[in-house]
């Protein structure tokens, strides 16, 4: 099987852009968030004590079955290096390190107000297409939507909690935090840091001609533009569409930007 690494972190923080860049390397396979993490969690649950036959499954069997999941899923992938993308991987750092001792996890992050702003911008852009993010509910306000995504079980809140667990956990030495702001403003430096982190020879990437289109998936999800990647990597300053009080609720949540708050051994680019 190919060498496997993981892309995780916060939504709307550059994971699809990063995957689009990585896949320029013919030795690499990377893409948008996929189903493996969900299958992984489902298998863990079905092999737990809630299954009356779990008495026949010990940890050695669980490990082989979970490893086999990856082997089977990527059996037809010709790449030497695979990056599997899902926000859930930050929550399974201990399991990932057991299954793949050499695997690294790249956590894409972004300042929280701009994550929420980006989600709201999508919703307001697609005014006639209710989004799967909110259960295709056409109602609500910017406040109810923000509260929903940042809640403990929301797409932002859950990912943020998993990110913090990974950043402060025992496996943080295999984690690289990649800031959206750095990726878009200094893509060459960011890619050099990633190659150094995973121990692969550097590849000359193009930051002016990026080709990655998953329009059909986004339209089926009722959120056109959810995984849109622009053809050129560039920072795009803009004004927020969030009310000031809502925007300011999240301005101090980017702990990775405070050197005093970053735990020893955690790499941030």
């Amino acid at each position: 099987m190919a060498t496997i690494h993981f892309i995780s972190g916060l939504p709307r923080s550059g994971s699809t852009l990063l995957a689009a860049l990585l896949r320029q390397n013919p030795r690499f396979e990377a893409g948008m968030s996929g189903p493996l993490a969900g299958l992984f969690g489902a298998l863990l649950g079905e092999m737990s004590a809630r299954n009356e036959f779990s008495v026949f499954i010990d940890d050695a069997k669980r490990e082989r079955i979970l490893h086999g999941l990856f082997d089977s899923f990527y059996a037809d992938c010709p790449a030497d290096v695979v990056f599997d993308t899902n926000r859930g991987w930050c929550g399974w750092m201990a399991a990932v390190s057991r299954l793949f001792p050499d695997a690294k996890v790249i956590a894409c992050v972004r300042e929280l107000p701009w994550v929420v702003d980006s989600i709201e911008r999508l919703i307001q852009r697609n005014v006639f297409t209710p989004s799967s993010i909110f259960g295709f509910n056409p109602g609500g306000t910017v406040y109810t939507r923000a509260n929903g995504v940042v809640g403990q079980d929301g797409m932002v809140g859950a990912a943020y909690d998993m990110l913090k667990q990974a950043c402060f956990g025992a496996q943080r030495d295999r984690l690289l935090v990649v800031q959206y702001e750095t990726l878009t403003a200094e893509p060459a430096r960011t890619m050099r840091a990633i190659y150094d982190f995973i121990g692969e020879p550097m590849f000359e990437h193009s930051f002016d001609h990026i080709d990655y289109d998953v329009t059909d998936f986004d339209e089926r999800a009722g959120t056109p533009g959810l995984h849109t990647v622009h053809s050129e990597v560039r920072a795009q300053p803009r004004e927020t569409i969030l009310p000031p009080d809502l925007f300011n609720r999240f301005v101090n949540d980017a702990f990775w930007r405070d050197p005093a708050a970053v735990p020893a051994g955690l790499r941030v680019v």
Side-chain angles (χ1 to χ4, degrees):
M1 182 183 164
T3 298
I4 189 159
H5 299 298
F6 299 89
I7 299 174
S8 192
L10 301 176
R12 311 300 299 161
S13 298
S15 62
T16 307
L17 170 60
L18 177 58
L21 288 170
L22 288 168
R23 64 191 287 122
Q24 291 178 347
N25 188 328
R27 296 182 56 246
F28 291 175
E29 172 63 29
M32 57 173 281
S33 292
L36 258 185
L39 294 171
F40 186 86
L43 271 175
L44 278 174
E46 286 305 312
M47 292 188 291
S48 70
R50 80 180 183 198
N51 184 332
E52 63 179 309
F53 299 110
S54 64
V55 66
F56 301 111
I57 309 175
D58 58 18
D59 274 356
K61 286 186 174 67
R62 291 185 180 96
E63 188 167 338
R64 289 197 301 271
I65 290 169
L66 291 168
H67 204 291
L69 173 65
F70 288 85
D71 293 340
S72 298
F73 191 83
Y74 286 112
D76 58 351
C77 177
D80 297 327
V81 182
V82 168
F83 297 83
D84 191 86
T85 303
N86 196 281
R87 293 191 295 273
W89 293 125
C90 273
W92 280 313
M93 293 288 290
V96 163
S97 66
R98 284 278 298 274
L99 287 174
F100 304 102
D102 297 322
K104 303 294 177 65
V105 180
I106 301 166
C108 295
V109 301
R110 188 180 190 178
E111 292 191 58
L112 263 294
W114 293 107
V115 172
V116 178
D117 174 274
S118 182
I119 294 169
E120 180 62 23
R121 193 173 293 270
L122 276 175
I123 301 304
Q124 294 192 19
R125 182 186 306 153
N126 301 308
V127 291
F128 300 122
T129 310
S131 171
S132 62
I133 295 174
F134 301 101
F136 300 101
N137 182 353
T141 68
V142 62
Y143 290 95
T144 58
R145 288 188 289 269
N147 288 335
V149 296
V150 303
Q152 195 170 37
D153 296 324
M155 65 180 291
V156 179
Y160 183 72
D161 287 348
M162 288 187 283
L163 171 70
K164 290 184 74 174
Q165 174 179 293
C167 288
F168 291 92
Q171 294 81 30
R172 63 178 177 269
D173 61 320
R174 62 177 65 232
L175 185 70
L176 175 68
V177 176
V178 173
Q179 300 178 85
Y180 177 84
E181 296 81 5
T182 308
L183 176 61
T184 54
E186 301 178 78
R189 180 169 78 87
T190 303
M191 297 307 290
R192 285 195 300 271
I194 290 172
Y195 275 82
D196 178 68
F197 179 62
I198 64 176
E200 292 289 338
M202 191 61 196
F203 177 82
E204 194 67 30
H205 289 272
S206 170
F207 305 116
D208 300 321
H209 301 90
I210 303 171
D211 181 21
Y212 189 62
D213 185 6
V214 287
T215 302
D216 290 345
F217 177 91
D218 290 353
E219 289 180 351
R220 287 198 302 271
T223 316
L226 182 63
H227 295 98
T228 295
V229 173
H230 297 289
S231 61
E232 179 184 357
V233 181
R234 63 184 186 277
Q236 298 178 316
R238 64 173 189 245
E239 292 185 1
T240 182
I241 62 171
L242 300 182
D245 59 325
L246 188 56
F247 186 91
N248 291 331
R249 277 176 52 187
F250 312 109
V251 294
N252 296 317
D253 289 332
F255 63 89
W256 56 86
R257 295 182 65 86
D258 179 4
V262 175
L266 179 65
R267 283 177 269 193
V268 180
V269 63

